[in-house]
PDB file of all heavy atoms in Angstrom:
ATOM      1  N   THR A 129      25.199-186.966 -85.386  1.00 88.00           N
ATOM      2  CA  THR A 129      25.269-185.510 -85.377  1.00 88.00           C
ATOM      3  C   THR A 129      25.195-184.891 -86.777  1.00 88.00           C
ATOM      4  O   THR A 129      25.336-183.678 -86.915  1.00 88.00           O
ATOM      5  CB  THR A 129      26.557-185.033 -84.690  1.00 88.00           C
ATOM      6  OG1 THR A 129      27.691-185.644 -85.329  1.00 88.00           O
ATOM      7  CG2 THR A 129      26.549-185.372 -83.215  1.00 88.00           C
ATOM      8  N   PRO A 131      23.991-182.934 -89.606  1.00 82.00           N
ATOM      9  CA  PRO A 131      22.953-181.896 -89.607  1.00 82.00           C
ATOM     10  C   PRO A 131      21.724-182.262 -90.446  1.00 82.00           C
ATOM     11  O   PRO A 131      20.621-181.819 -90.141  1.00 82.00           O
ATOM     12  CB  PRO A 131      23.650-180.671 -90.203  1.00 82.00           C
ATOM     13  CG  PRO A 131      25.103-180.938 -90.094  1.00 82.00           C
ATOM     14  CD  PRO A 131      25.271-182.431 -90.060  1.00 82.00           C
ATOM     15  N   LEU A 134      18.673-183.828 -88.589  1.00 85.00           N
ATOM     16  CA  LEU A 134      17.736-182.965 -87.867  1.00 85.00           C
ATOM     17  C   LEU A 134      16.466-182.728 -88.671  1.00 85.00           C
ATOM     18  O   LEU A 134      15.358-182.864 -88.153  1.00 85.00           O
ATOM     19  CB  LEU A 134      18.385-181.627 -87.516  1.00 85.00           C
ATOM     20  CG  LEU A 134      17.433-180.579 -86.919  1.00 85.00           C
ATOM     21  CD1 LEU A 134      16.923-181.023 -85.565  1.00 85.00           C
ATOM     22  CD2 LEU A 134      18.113-179.229 -86.830  1.00 85.00           C
ATOM     23  N   LEU A 191      19.452-182.436 -75.524  1.00 95.00           N
ATOM     24  CA  LEU A 191      20.804-181.970 -75.845  1.00 95.00           C
ATOM     25  C   LEU A 191      21.101-182.134 -77.331  1.00 95.00           C
ATOM     26  O   LEU A 191      21.684-181.253 -77.961  1.00 95.00           O
ATOM     27  CB  LEU A 191      21.833-182.725 -74.996  1.00 95.00           C
ATOM     28  CG  LEU A 191      21.848-182.393 -73.510  1.00 95.00           C
ATOM     29  CD1 LEU A 191      22.718-183.386 -72.734  1.00 95.00           C
ATOM     30  CD2 LEU A 191      22.323-180.967 -73.272  1.00 95.00           C
ATOM     31  N   TRP A 192      20.696-183.278 -77.912  1.00 93.00           N
ATOM     32  CA  TRP A 192      20.919-183.509 -79.342  1.00 93.00           C
ATOM     33  C   TRP A 192      20.192-182.455 -80.174  1.00 93.00           C
ATOM     34  O   TRP A 192      20.760-181.890 -81.112  1.00 93.00           O
ATOM     35  CB  TRP A 192      20.457-184.912 -79.749  1.00 93.00           C
ATOM     36  CG  TRP A 192      20.568-185.132 -81.224  1.00 93.00           C
ATOM     37  CD1 TRP A 192      21.694-185.477 -81.920  1.00 93.00           C
ATOM     38  CD2 TRP A 192      19.533-184.981 -82.192  1.00 93.00           C
ATOM     39  NE1 TRP A 192      21.406-185.550 -83.266  1.00 93.00           N
ATOM     40  CE2 TRP A 192      20.083-185.256 -83.460  1.00 93.00           C
ATOM     41  CE3 TRP A 192      18.184-184.647 -82.113  1.00 93.00           C
ATOM     42  CZ2 TRP A 192      19.341-185.210 -84.628  1.00 93.00           C
ATOM     43  CZ3 TRP A 192      17.442-184.606 -83.284  1.00 93.00           C
ATOM     44  CH2 TRP A 192      18.022-184.886 -84.517  1.00 93.00           C
ATOM     45  N   LEU A 193      18.953-182.169 -79.806  1.00 91.00           N
ATOM     46  CA  LEU A 193      18.174-181.182 -80.553  1.00 91.00           C
ATOM     47  C   LEU A 193      18.819-179.805 -80.452  1.00 91.00           C
ATOM     48  O   LEU A 193      18.977-179.105 -81.463  1.00 91.00           O
ATOM     49  CB  LEU A 193      16.737-181.144 -80.037  1.00 91.00           C
ATOM     50  CG  LEU A 193      15.787-180.192 -80.752  1.00 91.00           C
ATOM     51  CD1 LEU A 193      15.692-180.520 -82.236  1.00 91.00           C
ATOM     52  CD2 LEU A 193      14.410-180.244 -80.108  1.00 91.00           C
ATOM     53  N   GLU A 194      19.220-179.420 -79.268  1.00 91.00           N
ATOM     54  CA  GLU A 194      19.853-178.107 -79.091  1.00 91.00           C
ATOM     55  C   GLU A 194      21.152-178.012 -79.885  1.00 91.00           C
ATOM     56  O   GLU A 194      21.417-177.001 -80.541  1.00 91.00           O
ATOM     57  CB  GLU A 194      20.109-177.848 -77.603  1.00 91.00           C
ATOM     58  CG  GLU A 194      20.538-176.438 -77.299  1.00 91.00           C
ATOM     59  CD  GLU A 194      19.509-175.382 -77.678  1.00 91.00           C
ATOM     60  OE1 GLU A 194      18.298-175.641 -77.544  1.00 91.00           O
ATOM     61  OE2 GLU A 194      19.912-174.292 -78.109  1.00 91.00           O
ATOM     62  N   LEU A 195      21.950-179.063 -79.855  1.00 88.00           N
ATOM     63  CA  LEU A 195      23.194-179.075 -80.641  1.00 88.00           C
ATOM     64  C   LEU A 195      22.913-179.038 -82.135  1.00 88.00           C
ATOM     65  O   LEU A 195      23.638-178.398 -82.896  1.00 88.00           O
ATOM     66  CB  LEU A 195      24.024-180.312 -80.313  1.00 88.00           C
ATOM     67  CG  LEU A 195      24.847-180.255 -79.049  1.00 88.00           C
ATOM     68  CD1 LEU A 195      25.474-181.610 -78.757  1.00 88.00           C
ATOM     69  CD2 LEU A 195      25.921-179.189 -79.145  1.00 88.00           C
ATOM     70  N   SER A 196      21.871-179.742 -82.561  1.00 86.00           N
ATOM     71  CA  SER A 196      21.518-179.757 -83.977  1.00 86.00           C
ATOM     72  C   SER A 196      21.078-178.382 -84.456  1.00 86.00           C
ATOM     73  O   SER A 196      21.362-177.993 -85.585  1.00 86.00           O
ATOM     74  CB  SER A 196      20.402-180.774 -84.235  1.00 86.00           C
ATOM     75  OG  SER A 196      20.854-182.071 -83.947  1.00 86.00           O
ATOM     76  N   LEU A 197      20.385-177.660 -83.597  1.00 86.00           N
ATOM     77  CA  LEU A 197      19.903-176.327 -83.960  1.00 86.00           C
ATOM     78  C   LEU A 197      21.000-175.272 -83.860  1.00 86.00           C
ATOM     79  O   LEU A 197      21.006-174.303 -84.607  1.00 86.00           O
ATOM     80  CB  LEU A 197      18.723-175.935 -83.063  1.00 86.00           C
ATOM     81  CG  LEU A 197      17.456-176.766 -83.278  1.00 86.00           C
ATOM     82  CD1 LEU A 197      16.436-176.441 -82.197  1.00 86.00           C
ATOM     83  CD2 LEU A 197      16.866-176.520 -84.657  1.00 86.00           C
ATOM     84  N   ASP A 198      21.933-175.460 -82.909  1.00 87.00           N
ATOM     85  CA  ASP A 198      22.996-174.478 -82.705  1.00 87.00           C
ATOM     86  C   ASP A 198      24.240-175.201 -82.204  1.00 87.00           C
ATOM     87  O   ASP A 198      24.452-175.342 -80.993  1.00 87.00           O
ATOM     88  CB  ASP A 198      22.543-173.419 -81.696  1.00 87.00           C
ATOM     89  CG  ASP A 198      23.583-172.341 -81.444  1.00 87.00           C
ATOM     90  OD1 ASP A 198      24.631-172.328 -82.131  1.00 87.00           O
ATOM     91  OD2 ASP A 198      23.358-171.513 -80.548  1.00 87.00           O
ATOM     92  N   ALA A 199      25.061-175.651 -83.137  1.00 81.00           N
ATOM     93  CA  ALA A 199      26.250-176.438 -82.797  1.00 81.00           C
ATOM     94  C   ALA A 199      27.238-175.667 -81.942  1.00 81.00           C
ATOM     95  O   ALA A 199      28.059-176.264 -81.237  1.00 81.00           O
ATOM     96  CB  ALA A 199      26.935-176.922 -84.070  1.00 81.00           C
ATOM     97  N   ASP A 200      27.171-174.345 -81.972  1.00 85.00           N
ATOM     98  CA  ASP A 200      28.107-173.537 -81.198  1.00 85.00           C
ATOM     99  C   ASP A 200      27.621-173.254 -79.778  1.00 85.00           C
ATOM    100  O   ASP A 200      28.332-172.626 -78.995  1.00 85.00           O
ATOM    101  CB  ASP A 200      28.369-172.206 -81.909  1.00 85.00           C
ATOM    102  CG  ASP A 200      29.028-172.403 -83.261  1.00 85.00           C
ATOM    103  OD1 ASP A 200      29.796-173.379 -83.404  1.00 85.00           O
ATOM    104  OD2 ASP A 200      28.760-171.602 -84.172  1.00 85.00           O
ATOM    105  N   SER A 201      26.412-173.686 -79.437  1.00 86.00           N
ATOM    106  CA  SER A 201      25.831-173.353 -78.138  1.00 86.00           C
ATOM    107  C   SER A 201      26.657-173.900 -76.975  1.00 86.00           C
ATOM    108  O   SER A 201      26.932-173.185 -76.021  1.00 86.00           O
ATOM    109  CB  SER A 201      24.392-173.832 -78.046  1.00 86.00           C
ATOM    110  OG  SER A 201      24.331-175.233 -78.277  1.00 86.00           O
ATOM    111  N   PHE A 202      27.043-175.170 -77.039  1.00 90.00           N
ATOM    112  CA  PHE A 202      27.871-175.736 -75.969  1.00 90.00           C
ATOM    113  C   PHE A 202      28.759-176.867 -76.450  1.00 90.00           C
ATOM    114  O   PHE A 202      29.689-177.238 -75.773  1.00 90.00           O
ATOM    115  CB  PHE A 202      27.019-176.199 -74.771  1.00 90.00           C
ATOM    116  CG  PHE A 202      25.851-177.057 -75.136  1.00 90.00           C
ATOM    117  CD1 PHE A 202      25.987-178.415 -75.293  1.00 90.00           C
ATOM    118  CD2 PHE A 202      24.596-176.486 -75.307  1.00 90.00           C
ATOM    119  CE1 PHE A 202      24.899-179.207 -75.617  1.00 90.00           C
ATOM    120  CE2 PHE A 202      23.502-177.273 -75.620  1.00 90.00           C
ATOM    121  CZ  PHE A 202      23.649-178.634 -75.782  1.00 90.00           C
ATOM    122  N   GLY A 203      28.521-177.424 -77.599  1.00 91.00           N
ATOM    123  CA  GLY A 203      29.397-178.427 -78.188  1.00 91.00           C
ATOM    124  C   GLY A 203      29.117-179.844 -77.745  1.00 91.00           C
ATOM    125  O   GLY A 203      28.571-180.093 -76.677  1.00 91.00           O
ATOM    126  N   ALA A 204      29.513-180.772 -78.603  1.00 92.00           N
ATOM    127  CA  ALA A 204      29.253-182.187 -78.372  1.00 92.00           C
ATOM    128  C   ALA A 204      29.956-182.708 -77.126  1.00 92.00           C
ATOM    129  O   ALA A 204      29.380-183.477 -76.358  1.00 92.00           O
ATOM    130  CB  ALA A 204      29.669-183.006 -79.597  1.00 92.00           C
ATOM    131  N   GLU A 205      31.191-182.282 -76.910  1.00 94.00           N
ATOM    132  CA  GLU A 205      31.914-182.789 -75.733  1.00 94.00           C
ATOM    133  C   GLU A 205      31.280-182.294 -74.438  1.00 94.00           C
ATOM    134  O   GLU A 205      31.263-183.017 -73.438  1.00 94.00           O
ATOM    135  CB  GLU A 205      33.395-182.418 -75.817  1.00 94.00           C
ATOM    136  CG  GLU A 205      34.127-183.156 -76.929  1.00 94.00           C
ATOM    137  CD  GLU A 205      33.868-184.659 -76.960  1.00 94.00           C
ATOM    138  OE1 GLU A 205      33.952-185.325 -75.896  1.00 94.00           O
ATOM    139  OE2 GLU A 205      33.548-185.185 -78.043  1.00 94.00           O
ATOM    140  N   ALA A 206      30.750-181.088 -74.452  1.00 95.00           N
ATOM    141  CA  ALA A 206      30.037-180.591 -73.263  1.00 95.00           C
ATOM    142  C   ALA A 206      28.766-181.403 -73.036  1.00 95.00           C
ATOM    143  O   ALA A 206      28.417-181.715 -71.884  1.00 95.00           O
ATOM    144  CB  ALA A 206      29.704-179.115 -73.419  1.00 95.00           C
TER     145      ALA A 206
END
Side-chain angles (χ1 to χ4, degrees):
T129 55
L134 172 66
L191 290 169
W192 175 82
L193 182 59
E194 190 61 36
L195 280 173
S196 296
L197 293 171
D198 181 6
D200 297 328
S201 57
F202 49 85
E205 291 312 312

